[in-house]
Amino acid sequence: MTSLLIADDHPLFRAALRLAASESLPDCTVREAADLSGVLAALAAEPDTDLVLLDLHMPGSQGLSGLATLRGQHPSVAVLVVSAHDEPRIVRRVLDHGAAGFIPKSASPAEIGEAIRHVLDCGNWLPPGLAAAVAALPANPADTDLASRLARLTEQQSRVLTLLAEGLLNKQIADRLAIQERTVKAHVTAIFEKLRVRNRTQAGMLLRSLDLGEPARVG
């Protein structure tokens, strides 16, 4: 059975996405999360989830950071971004960081259903009104380089990086992940090497480059 996870902090919009998904795929299982920690917990509980419908702005995730976290910690799960951030240059960045498609929050239920079916069939999806404009934009070298560096991290290293970016110390990270502190230190060393940074400050600055600012409409 197809399993979907809707990640959005607005209950009414989650309900609209659930309805569109259920009408498009009557036999699918749909779960919901209102923040990034809920998304990660849901995926840890159900790692065989087929697709995440991800809002770019919700607690714990601003801009592309949530997308990068999901791609790092759950690389086999497809991500379809749903956002009011629908400027072509933003959509280009979303694709460069590994999303399988993009749905603007102004999309109709029929369009949402079409996008879900298309991505589940292993395709990529953009709304017709955006596809040509996005295709005309070249990939940003900084984004493709950062996406490549983040992709080199193991799933556990990605978890450590997320906690490191939150300002946690090695001991706190060890406690959170139930691993030894020396293991965390080894992960941090590997993270710095793979990301080509020298310290936590530089790693944090790298992740802050994923911020998009606030969308023009609720996102």
Side-chain angles (χ1 to χ4, degrees), residues 1-3 27-29 48 50:
M1 181 179 292
T2 301
S3 176
D27 295 328
C28 72
T29 298
D48 293 332
D50 296 292

Side-chain angles (χ1 to χ4, degrees), residues 3-192:
S3 176
L4 306 182
L5 175 61
I6 296 171
D8 194 292
D9 62 332
H10 296 96
L12 288 177
F13 197 74
R14 289 202 306 272
L17 287 174
R18 174 182 282 272
L19 180 60
S22 298
E23 289 182 346
S24 178
L25 299 166
D27 295 328
C28 72
T29 298
V30 181
R31 291 171 299 135
E32 299 180 12
D35 54 33
L36 186 61
S37 62
V39 174
L40 296 176
L43 291 177
E46 296 288 343
D48 293 332
T49 298
D50 296 292
L51 176 64
V52 176
L53 302 178
L54 177 70
D55 182 27
L56 291 181
H57 287 272
M58 60 182 177
S61 172
Q62 292 298 314
L64 300 170
S65 61
L67 173 60
T69 298
L70 293 192
R71 298 306 300 145
Q73 297 185 25
H74 299 277
S76 64
V77 178
V79 180
L80 184 54
V81 166
V82 187
S83 180
H85 256 312
D86 56 1
E87 301 91 340
R89 64 178 184 83
I90 298 298
V91 179
R92 175 75 266 171
R93 295 192 71 190
V94 164
L95 299 181
D96 290 342
H97 279 276
F102 180 91
I103 304 173
K105 285 200 168 182
S106 58
S108 68
E111 288 176 313
I112 295 170
E114 181 183 356
I116 290 171
R117 290 192 303 271
H118 203 78
V119 170
L120 287 173
D121 285 338
C122 299
N124 295 318
W125 197 89
L126 290 176
L130 274 174
V134 173
L137 293 173
N140 185 319
D143 274 321
T144 54
D145 177 62
L146 178 53
S148 175
R149 282 191 263 174
L150 291 171
R152 296 178 61 203
L153 302 179
T154 66
E155 293 178 26
Q156 187 74 318
Q157 287 166 0
S158 179
R159 295 184 184 97
V160 171
L161 176 61
T162 298
L163 298 176
L164 184 153
E166 292 177 9
L168 272 65
L169 302 176
N170 287 355
K171 187 179 186 307
Q172 294 171 311
I173 295 173
D175 291 342
R176 183 78 65 87
L177 297 179
I179 58 179
Q180 295 187 356
E181 188 174 353
R182 68 172 179 267
T183 303
V184 174
K185 290 180 180 177
H187 282 318
V188 170
T189 298
I191 289 167
F192 289 173

